[in-house]
């Protein structure tokens, strides 16, 4: 007897990519630039969103989709309090967002009133990397408290990211974090990646990130 092998994961990923392409087309039609923020739990995704909102609103109209494994919607509430149109997605325990979840959240937002959409993925250093959501850029946040060996141990998200934000640099004096070793590991995986070193606590380095993002939003408005 022979065994039939069905590649379920491949089919699921293909279906996800199809929906992601539809999400991107919808965002393009509305002139909204979208980023997918990915990181380990606690690296500072919501803190970066708060800093970004502080710097860009009201000139840039910002929406936020926040994915969490439970109904706890405090991150979306933090975004709303800082001025974003915020939608919370409860993934029901799933360790990453998928394109169909973002499609549903897009329907809860009036895209014609937005310039920028920030998707905060579930805090996880592995799973989110494999799933296109239909955003225009994947932004990874790493924090120095995670250790300088992380690019070597968790390469998938570094490979998937277009931009890397190294957060919590205010804590560098208190840690044994070898920045050269860390950046060498990053560049081995993704030589051309753009890196911003920031502190969401003190605001150091945030302006370079904001300039980059403002430029992306402006380019999208013009296309
Ligand atoms: N010292 C320092 N602490 C920071 C910085 N950025 C964030 N934090 C702290 O790190 C903790 C986690 O920040 P969050 O923004 O909630 O992290 P997150 O990635 O959104 O976390 P999850 O959504 O739970 O995955 C909070 O206590 C923040 O105050 C920073 O630049 N420096
Ligand atoms: Mg958060």
């Amino acid at each position: 007897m022979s065994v039939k092998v069905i590649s379920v994961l491949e089919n699921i990923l293909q279906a996800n990519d199809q929906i992601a392409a539809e999400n991107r087309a919808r965002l393009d039609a509305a002139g909204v630039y979208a980023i997918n923020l990915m990181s380990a739990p606690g690296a500072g995704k919501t803190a970066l969103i708060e800093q970004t909102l502080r710097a860009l609103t009201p000139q840039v109209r910002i929406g936020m989709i926040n994915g969490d494994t439970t109904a706890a919607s405090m991150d979306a509430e933090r975004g709303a309090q800082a001025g974003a149109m915020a939608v919370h997605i409860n993934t029901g325990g799933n360790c990453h967002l998928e394109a169909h979840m973002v499609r549903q959240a897009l329907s809860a937002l009036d895209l014609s009133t937005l310039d920028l959409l920030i998707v905060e993925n579930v805090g996880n250093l592995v799973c989110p990397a494999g799933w296109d959501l239909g955003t225009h850029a994947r932004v990874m946040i790493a924090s120095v408290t995670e250790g300088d060996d992380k690019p070597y141990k968790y390469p998938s998200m570094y490979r998937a990211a277009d931009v890397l934000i190294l957060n919590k640099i205010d804590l560098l004096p208190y840690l044994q974090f070898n920045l050269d070793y860390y950046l060498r590991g990053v560049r081995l995986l993704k030589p051309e990646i753009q890196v911003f070193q920031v502190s969401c606590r003190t605001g150091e380095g945030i302006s370079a990130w904001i300039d980059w993002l403002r430029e992306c939003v402006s380019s999208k408005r013009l296309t």
Side-chain angles (χ1 to χ4, degrees), residues 1-219:
M1 296 285 274
S2 66
V3 175
K4 284 189 179 166
V5 178
I6 302 169
S7 56
V8 174
L9 182 62
E10 201 175 304
N11 291 347
I12 291 173
L13 285 174
Q14 265 174 16
N16 182 78
D17 285 353
Q18 173 64 36
I19 299 170
E22 289 164 17
N23 289 347
R24 200 158 17 246
R26 214 161 142 187
L27 291 160
D28 286 343
V32 178
Y33 186 78
I35 61 173
N36 175 7
L37 267 189
M38 311 181 295
S39 82
K45 296 179 294 301
T46 314
L48 184 77
I49 291 171
E50 289 171 324
Q51 283 279 0
T52 303
L53 283 158
R54 213 165 292 142
L56 289 178
T57 50
Q59 294 85 359
V60 178
R61 300 164 302 168
I62 303 177
M64 170 196 189
I65 295 175
N66 165 254
D68 257 306
T69 56
T70 68
S73 59
M74 54 269 252
D75 285 3
E77 278 154 28
R78 279 167 68 185
Q81 196 149 29
M85 295 285 300
V87 179
H88 173 72
I89 299 175
N90 174 0
T91 68
N94 205 359
C95 61
H96 58 270
L97 285 174
E98 297 181 17
H100 69 90
M101 301 173 188
V102 171
R103 175 172 62 188
Q104 247 179 296
L106 289 181
S107 297
L109 288 166
D110 181 357
L111 294 182
S112 70
T113 65
L114 298 180
D115 304 304
L116 170 65
L117 177 68
I118 305 176
V119 181
E120 176 175 349
N121 217 313
V122 177
N124 185 306
L125 202 47
V126 181
C127 306
W131 300 82
D132 185 7
L133 303 181
T135 57
H136 300 99
R138 296 183 203 205
V139 178
M140 175 182 178
I141 305 185
S143 78
V144 294
T145 48
E146 292 162 25
D148 54 19
D149 57 353
K150 290 303 167 287
Y152 303 92
K153 294 180 69 179
Y154 296 88
S156 59
M157 197 176 284
Y158 286 89
R159 278 206 198 92
D162 304 300
V163 174
L164 171 65
I165 294 182
L166 182 61
N167 189 30
K168 308 194 188 182
I169 58 168
D170 58 295
L171 298 178
L172 277 173
Y174 313 104
L175 301 168
Q176 307 252 290
F177 186 94
N178 184 329
L179 192 56
D180 287 342
Y181 175 66
Y182 175 80
L183 290 175
R184 217 176 314 131
V186 171
R187 301 266 179 231
L188 278 173
L189 297 166
K190 198 89 189 238
E192 76 284 9
I193 196 165
Q194 179 126 22
V195 183
F196 297 101
Q197 296 179 34
V198 311
S199 166
C200 289
R201 172 66 49 84
T202 66
E204 188 180 351
I206 292 289
S207 63
W209 154 249
I210 294 297
D211 288 347
W212 178 87
L213 192 55
R214 195 185 271 121
E215 183 63 36
C216 294
V217 172
S218 302
S219 314

